[in-house]
Amino acid sequence: MSSSTGGAGGLVLDPSTLVMFELPIGSIRYAVGGHDPGHNTCVAIIFMNPGKEEHCDDFEVGEGGMFPYVVITPDAAPPCMDWGYSGNVTVDAASGCMQVSSELPLAITIDMNLSVSGDIFSGTIAVANK
């Protein structure tokens, strides 16, 4: 799967499919998972120890960057909660904002666009729940 543009060619996560979850590995990693029905693809965007402050355009991306990292699962159905210790694509750019608004129950406000590259998918990902 490959895309070089956003919108119809990129992945757009359906807001009604968004789930927030904590990775079950004993570290503070929170994720937003969602489904793009047009591509039948799940995406999990994972943030390591984001704290409660709002993050806007302060992401650490590129080779070695892991805030956030992304796991993409093609031919998948919601709920989208696949995860890993690292992503299966490289996040080349990330813009927008995210904030953990509550830890119990977990709630994350997110409005982001990501550009990713890798064997499984190269292109854009749009996610927003506000």
Side-chain angles (χ1 to χ4, degrees):
M1 177 185 317
S2 181
S3 172
S4 59
T5 62
L11 299 175
V12 179
L13 305 187
D14 179 349
S16 71
T17 67
L18 296 182
V19 292
M20 286 68 177
F21 61 99
E22 184 175 358
L23 275 59
I25 58 174
S27 67
I28 302 172
R29 296 184 196 205
Y30 299 123
V32 175
H35 185 255
D36 177 312
H39 292 95
N40 196 33
T41 298
C42 280
V43 176
I45 303 165
I46 302 159
F47 300 91
M48 291 195 308
N49 196 19
K52 288 198 171 198
E53 66 273 10
E54 183 177 45
H55 293 277
C56 293
D57 301 327
D58 64 346
F59 306 105
E60 298 172 14
V61 299
E63 278 303 316
M66 289 188 59
F67 187 79
Y69 63 92
V70 172
V71 174
I72 296 177
T73 309
D75 299 320
C80 299
M81 299 176 70
D82 288 347
W83 64 275
Y85 290 102
S86 63
N88 61 0
V89 294
T90 299
V91 178
D92 299 312
S95 62
C97 296
M98 73 77 63
Q99 182 174 21
V100 176
S101 50
S102 171
E103 291 179 351
L104 289 173
L106 182 60
I108 298 172
T109 302
I110 189 165
D111 187 355
M112 290 183 66
N113 290 295
L114 300 99
S115 177
V116 301
S117 59
D119 292 338
I120 199 162
F121 175 80
S122 291
T124 60
I125 302 167
V127 57
N129 64 356
K130 62 178 190 173

